[in-house]
Structures are given as structure tokens and as C-alpha cells.
Amino acid sequence: MELRQLQTFVQAAQLQSFSRAALQLGYSQSAVTVQIRMLEKELGTRLFDRMGKQVVLTAQGQKFLEHANTILYEVNRTRLSMHEDEELKNPLHIGTIESLCTAKFPAIVSRFRERYPQVKFQITVGTPEELIRMMEHDLLDMIYILDAPRWSENWVKAMELAEPIVFVASPFFWSEGSPGTGHKTLDEILQEPFFLTEKNANYRQALDQYLASCHRSLSPVLEISDTAFIIQMLEQSRGLSFLPLFAVQKQIREGTLAVVEVDNVEISMYRQIFYHKNKFKTREMEQFIAFASEEENRL
């Protein structure tokens, strides 16, 4: 039994495909098939059921996956322990959503690069569902998302912080004084033009679900996935939006935007960092998590 066979087996199990595992590992599909067959012969059991182009672990395969992950984890830990005193230099591939990437990542990555200049970053932006699928297929080291609380026995949650989602507008375009003073009713703000993220954004979905529970609906005058564009629209014209507080903190401090308090409406989501339980937490991953947590104390 060889380590490369274990690595191939784990990749095939995660991706449920010999062809995708081959692509990920840089092998030919026939090489992956041969390695799995040799492993099955040595273990004296069938590890996968072939179902068309998809492969699914058998009961014995699922049992062996736990052992394979344990072996690979210990091998990786042993290798890394030989280099604990060396400067961090392994690349990091992190998945996140657009608003977090714009508002949080520049400061975190800049500070990280100042401390560890040899670490190269790859950042992938997508929806939480897309990023979770990539994490589960070992295509990302970790993900940093904003969503309702998520959990799976296959993930390690490294950070969870509540984040208010707020109505915001420019005080210069609000007809009844600063939106940061007093309270508005839901019916009052629904008369205003709204600039919102697209329907697949999770905090937009949270707003739509809340409105539906109140037998209300909202038809925005603008829908776009780019949070920075929405902020510019708010600063330059009359309108409201519904955005994570972290995305507009700078503008609120500068006075170009203000929170509109709406009676009986409080919606929060959670910023969460995950990595797969089978993913060995490298020193680079550990330090990124620390920097992301430290960033909260700097605000």
C-alpha cells in the first residue's frame, strides 16, 4: 500500500469520479483506475460501486476512508513538523463571497503579506453553496462566508461572528432628515426606491423571506451582485439598500451613509470560516484564521 494510492482513493471518494480525481492529481484516468484496483486487491474488498460516470463508496470503502484520512493527516503533520521554524511559504486558496472580499479581505491579506511575504494567495468568489461544494471536493483550503449558521459533521468551523444586516441610505437624499435619527415603519421604507443584490444573495433572500412573513413584497429599481456599485448609487442618489453592516461601516463613519432604523425589523447573519475535516490545517491556514479574527478587534 502506497501513499499515492491513499491520496488517489481519497480524491476519488471526495469527487465521486475517477476522471475528476485524475485531473486534480495530474494522472491519467487509467492510472487512477489501476491504483484503485490494486488497493482493492490488497485489501480484499470492493471500495467503490461504479454507477455510470459516478463512483460511490461501498460500506467498506466508507470505513477505509476514515483510516486513509487518518494516515494522510499524520503523514502531513509529520512532514510539517520538520519545517516548523521555517518562514511560511505555502500558497493559500480561500473561497469567499463578493461583499466579504471587498470589505474584509484587503486589510486581512495586506497585513498577512506584510508578515509572510512568501505566501501566495488565490481567492475564489462565489455563493456559499458554490464555495461549500468546492471545499467538499478539496478545491479550496477554506471558505469565509456570510450566511445563516451552517454545520456539517464533515466541516471544522474555525470562526463564527454575528453580523447585522441593515437598511442604509444617504442622509443627503432622505426627505425627512437623517436616516440615522428616529425610526421608520416597514410600510414607510417600502415606498422608497431600493437598490439590492440579486435574489440569489443570501441576505437578499433573508429580506424577501421576512417581507413574505409580513405579507409584503419588494420590487427593487436596481439589482446587481456588485455591493460596491450599490454603495456608490446610494451615495449619489435617493434610495435604500439592505446590506451587511461590515460592507458600509466606512461610509457610515464618514457620514455619506447612515443606518435607517426600521421598527421591529432585526435580521442578522453570521460570518463563518470553515475547512473540511479531512483537510490538514497548515500553518498558513492557521495564521489566516488568526488574522481574520484579529481584524475584528481592530475595528
Side-chain angles (χ1 to χ4, degrees):
M1 189 180 301
E2 301 177 4
L3 282 177
R4 67 190 182 103
Q5 292 174 330
L6 297 180
Q7 292 166 340
T8 298
F9 166 73
V10 169
Q11 282 290 324
Q14 290 177 338
L15 298 173
Q16 295 185 319
S17 167
F18 287 178
S19 60
R20 290 201 295 269
L23 185 64
Q24 182 75 6
L25 294 167
Y27 296 148
S28 66
Q29 184 172 340
S30 60
V32 169
T33 302
V34 168
Q35 289 185 45
I36 297 299
R37 284 178 178 170
M38 291 175 64
L39 200 54
E40 288 178 327
K41 183 178 180 180
E42 183 172 352
L43 293 170
T45 189
R46 191 177 186 86
L47 298 174
F48 290 99
D49 284 326
R50 282 71 168 175
M51 304 174 66
K53 294 183 178 181
Q54 189 178 42
V55 293
V56 180
L57 287 172
T58 63
Q60 289 299 99
Q62 189 66 52
K63 183 177 180 180
F64 182 66
L65 179 62
E66 297 178 10
H67 294 293
N69 281 323
T70 299
I71 293 168
L72 293 175
Y73 182 93
E74 290 300 328
V75 168
N76 284 326
R77 189 174 71 162
T78 301
R79 284 174 176 167
L80 289 172
S81 70
M82 299 296 102
H83 306 281
E84 285 181 348
D85 297 329
E86 294 181 3
E87 184 177 355
L88 301 189
K89 59 184 178 182
N90 291 313
L92 271 175
H93 189 179
I94 302 170
T96 190
I97 63 171
E98 183 271 335
S99 56
L100 276 170
C101 188
T102 300
K104 291 290 185 183
F105 272 53
I108 297 171
V109 174
S110 294
R111 289 181 56 237
F112 193 104
R113 292 278 300 142
E114 287 176 7
R115 181 84 61 86
Y116 307 111
Q118 294 192 59
V119 176
K120 295 180 179 180
F121 277 84
Q122 182 177 351
I123 298 172
T124 296
V125 175
T127 65
E129 288 72 21
E130 291 169 340
L131 299 173
I132 287 169
R133 282 196 297 271
M134 293 182 71
M135 176 183 69
E136 290 185 328
H137 288 166
D138 197 27
L139 301 177
L140 296 166
D141 292 323
M142 68 177 84
I143 62 174
Y144 187 0
I145 62 174
L146 177 73
D147 207 347
R150 295 264 193 167
W151 181 86
S152 168
E153 62 182 10
N154 293 324
W155 311 339
V156 175
K157 182 177 289 190
M159 188 183 85
E160 180 177 275
L161 295 168
E163 182 68 34
I165 315 298
V166 296
F167 293 100
V168 285
S170 169
F172 305 111
F173 294 97
W174 193 256
S175 59
E176 298 179 21
S178 169
T181 60
H183 288 258
K184 304 296 178 184
T185 67
L186 186 60
D187 286 334
E188 283 177 324
I189 67 163
L190 290 179
Q191 303 305 311
E192 299 291 330
F194 267 83
F195 313 136
L196 294 177
T197 49
E198 296 168 321
K199 284 184 176 292
N200 63 350
N202 45 17
Y203 40 90
R204 167 68 187 280
Q205 291 174 352
L207 175 60
D208 287 341
Q209 289 168 4
Y210 177 82
L211 292 175
S213 72
C214 300
H215 306 290
R216 303 283 194 281
S217 63
L218 176 59
S219 179
V221 300
L222 170 70
E223 290 181 291
I224 186 171
S225 60
D226 190 335
T227 306
F229 184 83
I230 292 175
I231 291 171
Q232 289 185 42
M233 286 293 297
L234 291 171
E235 291 176 323
Q236 297 176 26
S237 59
R238 180 186 177 89
L240 281 156
S241 191
F242 187 67
L243 296 170
L245 182 59
F246 68 75
V248 291
Q249 279 180 321
K250 177 176 179 290
Q251 290 75 19
I252 291 172
R253 285 196 299 267
E254 294 172 351
T256 59
L257 294 181
V259 173
V260 180
E261 301 287 351
V262 180
D263 292 337
N264 303 317
V265 181
E266 290 186 11
I267 299 176
S268 292
M269 304 197 90
Y270 292 82
R271 282 183 281 125
Q272 301 159 84
I273 295 179
F274 296 102
Y275 58 91
H276 199 278
K277 72 173 185 179
N278 296 336
K279 186 79 175 178
F280 182 80
K281 184 172 69 172
T282 65
R283 292 166 62 212
E284 289 78 10
M285 291 169 61
E286 186 172 346
Q287 286 303 307
F288 180 87
I289 293 166
F291 271 71
S293 300
E294 287 172 9
E295 185 64 20
E296 303 311 310
N297 299 325
R298 292 165 59 89
L299 297 177

